[in-house]
Amino acid sequence: METKTGTWIEKKGLAQMLKGGVIMDVVNAEQAKIAEEAGACAVMALERVPADIRADGGVARMSDPDMILKIIDAVSIPVMAKCRIGHFVEAQILEAIGVDYIDESEVLTPADEEHHILKHNFKVPFVCGCRNIGEALRRIGEGAAMIRTKGEAGTGDVVEAVRHARTVIGAIRQLQTMGDEELMTFAKNNGAPYELVVEVKQTGRMPVVNFAAGGVATPADAALMMQLGVDGVFVGSGIFKSGDPARRAAAIVKAVTHYQDASILAEVSKNLGEAMVGRNVSQMPEGEKMAGRGW
Amino acid sequence: MIMKIGVLALQGDFAEHISMLKRLGVDTAEVRLPKHLDGLDGLIIPGGESTTIGKLAVAYELLEPLKQFGREHAIWGTCAGAIFLSKDVSRDQPLLGLMDIKVQRNAFGRQVDSFETDLEIDELMRVTGTEHLYHAVFIRAPLIESVHGDAKILSALDDGRIVAAQEGHLLATSFHPELTNDTRFHEYFISLAS
């Protein structure tokens, strides 16, 4: 029998297995175990969570492969890791050490200010950030097998996550009402590949799984994103920058499963201790925002 | 009366199973709490992360109701669901223990080792009256190491490794029929549930 690996169905399929789940940022094996114990469906291995990247400044790069391997050894759930936008050699390294998903991420300092990685060249699947449907479909055109709305990482302010999710999901709804002859102009105006625009109109949904990210700090934030129509959530700084990470992590997992049940949401929101301190995005200078990185 | 099949919706690709079932004209329900099992003729436990599904099942007191349901009704577990149905996974995590099978998690390696292949499944072809091979999608898949008691092998790879098993009205597959356009496995499960 013929066996094939690294196919589009395989890449897209792993993201489908993550649906209805929470992917948590972790910086060492101990945090990875806390995340797994709390019910995370995957972890994102990185040296510094976005809140610390903001505080420290400087160039943010791919993490040390040794640190990622220690996390891979510590847990049985999938392990993701970040490379810089356009840095295809960092991606080759992450593929070589066996990460399950690569996040070509605006949270790190971009290595290329015009081009993203041609992700079809890899066997390992990629997730990429987006702020609108054009950006999402360009990334999918390059081979991203999963999308996340960007939000504004490391702030604990959900406002940008809401804006980006509403923008993407609103555009999908808008496409449903358009005539076929309008689609090429839609593709032109949004900088999106025409064939993918046609597919979204026909199916009424994104061609790949779409998570929310960037600013989710509470169970209510997570359920808000789910009710807006995303498939799951990434939580970065929101867990391990809070007062009681294990408890908050478990509460956010429950909130994503029971996102439509307000009495369960009330129960899991009780006594979580201090949320991450947070930064108000509306008072942040444009130059400090990460979401604008991506082309 | 139209048959009603539930899909455990704690985490994973439950929506993909529901759309397959709808294509076959079956009523469906998402199961997140014990009360959602009422009135179902069968249940599918989807792909996802078995540790996540297990922990949420414990937190919302689903383990006992699911075991009880499985004694009387058909249950089918795909990938994480197959792990959850088994008696033994060689590590400490919540299991239903309904099927007398031993399962090894992530048995084929990491995501870059995930694969698609064609399987010959005699029983499936017989029940659905078809002759073509079954194209199976494995994602960070578990392997059924061994079957015991009344459990029997439904399908194996060329090298003999077991990827599908059945024990009465209980069904376990390492792979994901819900990610294909081939409805035969769902038809086969519906025949077990009726």
Side-chain angles (χ1 to χ4, degrees):
Chain A
M1 65 181 96
E2 194 198 355
T3 294
K4 287 179 286 185
T5 59
T7 65
W8 182 238
I9 287 178
E10 293 291 342
K11 291 174 170 180
K12 223 170 59 156
L14 179 55
Q16 288 171 280
M17 298 309 133
L18 302 174
K19 285 166 71 175
V22 183
I23 301 169
M24 302 182 191
D25 278 3
V26 297
V27 301
N28 54 43
E30 183 189 307
Q31 287 188 355
K33 282 181 186 159
I34 292 171
E36 183 177 47
E37 189 55 38
C41 66
V43 290
M44 176 74 71
L46 72 177
E47 266 163 13
R48 292 176 290 171
V49 295
D52 289 333
I53 292 175
R54 282 188 183 286
D56 295 352
V59 176
R61 310 178 177 89
M62 175 188 82
S63 299
D64 183 338
D66 184 61
M67 166 268 183
I68 297 167
L69 284 167
K70 284 188 176 124
I71 289 173
I72 287 175
D73 284 343
V75 294
S76 65
I77 55 179
V79 175
M80 301 184 166
K82 291 182 192 287
C83 72
R84 285 178 266 178
I85 290 172
H87 205 316
F88 50 87
V89 174
E90 284 187 349
Q92 290 164 7
I93 291 169
L94 293 173
E95 181 175 59
I97 65 172
V99 305
D100 296 300
Y101 239 94
I102 296 176
D103 183 4
E104 186 186 19
S105 177
E106 71 282 1
V107 168
L108 305 183
T109 311
D112 189 326
E113 294 195 330
E114 281 183 64
H115 310 99
H116 282 253
I117 296 171
L118 183 57
K119 293 163 276 284
H120 285 300
N121 285 346
F122 290 77
K123 275 198 165 182
V124 65
F126 282 74
V127 55
C128 286
C130 71
R131 290 161 296 170
N132 52 54
I133 196 161
E135 198 173 14
L137 297 181
R138 287 195 297 280
R139 297 296 85 79
I140 296 166
E142 295 156 357
M146 178 179 184
I147 287 293
R148 55 174 176 76
T149 47
K150 285 179 179 171
E152 192 56 44
T155 61
D157 187 346
V158 80
V159 66
E160 294 300 300
V162 169
R163 187 192 320 280
H164 299 157
R166 278 203 184 276
T167 303
V168 170
I169 291 161
I172 295 171
R173 284 201 203 102
Q174 186 195 349
L175 270 173
Q176 304 311 295
T177 64
M178 293 175 86
D180 288 344
E181 71 281 6
E182 298 174 90
L183 298 183
M184 184 58 85
T185 301
F186 182 94
K188 184 186 85 173
N189 291 342
N190 288 277
Y194 173 73
E195 290 72 18
L196 293 176
V197 170
V198 173
E199 184 183 335
V200 172
K201 193 210 160 186
Q202 283 169 351
T203 61
R205 56 187 171 81
M206 291 284 271
V208 301
V209 166
N210 178 30
F211 271 44
V216 174
T218 68
D221 288 348
L224 172 67
M225 300 316 299
M226 293 297 290
Q227 287 197 25
L228 285 174
V230 301
D231 296 317
V233 297
F234 283 87
V235 186
S237 319
I239 289 171
F240 288 98
K241 285 287 165 190
S242 74
D244 188 345
R247 197 176 164 90
R248 183 168 296 267
I252 293 176
V253 169
K254 288 174 183 165
V256 167
T257 294
H258 298 286
Y259 69 95
Q260 292 163 311
D261 188 330
S263 60
I264 291 181
L265 294 174
E267 198 54 42
V268 303
S269 298
K270 288 178 184 164
N271 303 316
L272 296 180
E274 289 290 312
M276 72 177 283
V277 175
R279 282 193 60 184
N280 192 323
V281 177
S282 64
Q283 289 162 8
M284 186 181 279
E286 278 304 313
E288 285 188 31
K289 292 183 186 171
M290 293 169 170
R293 300 165 170 176
W295 352 106
Chain B
M1 211 173 89
I2 295 176
M3 180 180 291
K4 190 170 184 183
I5 304 281
V7 183
L8 193 65
L10 297 174
Q11 190 271 324
D13 70 337
F14 50 88
E16 284 76 353
H17 275 294
I18 286 171
S19 68
M20 273 294 216
L21 291 168
K22 284 188 173 156
R23 274 170 66 181
L24 296 170
V26 171
D27 271 352
T28 61
E30 294 180 3
V31 175
R32 290 183 176 83
L33 295 169
K35 64 182 178 190
H36 301 151
L37 290 167
D38 295 346
L40 298 181
D41 300 299
L43 179 78
I44 296 177
I45 305 176
E49 278 308 312
S50 63
T51 51
T52 306
I53 293 170
K55 282 168 199 307
L56 286 162
V58 171
Y60 291 94
E61 293 174 351
L62 270 157
L63 283 186
E64 273 312 311
L66 286 172
K67 284 181 194 173
Q68 190 55 43
F69 186 86
R71 286 183 201 113
E72 294 156 11
H73 301 94
I75 303 186
W76 171 23
T78 58
C79 193
I83 295 167
F84 197 41
L85 276 175
S86 73
K87 274 209 169 107
D88 182 0
V89 296
S90 305
R91 73 195 293 279
D92 184 26
Q93 68 180 72
L95 300 173
L96 293 177
L98 282 167
M99 285 184 75
D100 207 351
I101 57 175
K102 185 174 182 191
V103 174
Q104 185 191 350
R105 289 185 58 196
N106 301 331
F108 297 92
R110 305 204 63 83
Q111 173 60 16
V112 289
D113 307 305
S114 291
F115 63 98
E116 298 175 43
T117 195
D118 292 322
L119 298 174
E120 206 174 315
I121 310 176
D122 295 339
E123 182 69 2
L124 183 74
M125 293 170 182
R126 191 183 64 74
V127 170
T128 57
T130 54
E131 287 177 356
H132 55 286
L133 294 174
Y134 188 81
H135 188 72
V137 178
F138 295 78
I139 297 176
R140 280 172 51 91
L143 190 66
I144 301 170
E145 271 182 22
S146 52
V147 299
H148 307 272
D150 293 332
K152 60 177 189 181
I153 298 168
L154 207 57
S155 179
L157 300 174
D158 282 350
D159 59 12
R161 290 187 290 178
I162 307 162
V163 292
Q166 185 177 340
E167 182 171 347
H169 53 262
L170 303 171
L171 190 60
T173 58
S174 300
F175 47 89
H176 295 281
E178 75 279 13
L179 297 186
T180 69
N181 277 318
D182 192 337
T183 56
R184 282 181 292 168
F185 242 104
H186 288 79
E187 290 167 41
Y188 183 62
F189 177 66
I190 288 168
S191 78
L192 293 180
S194 49

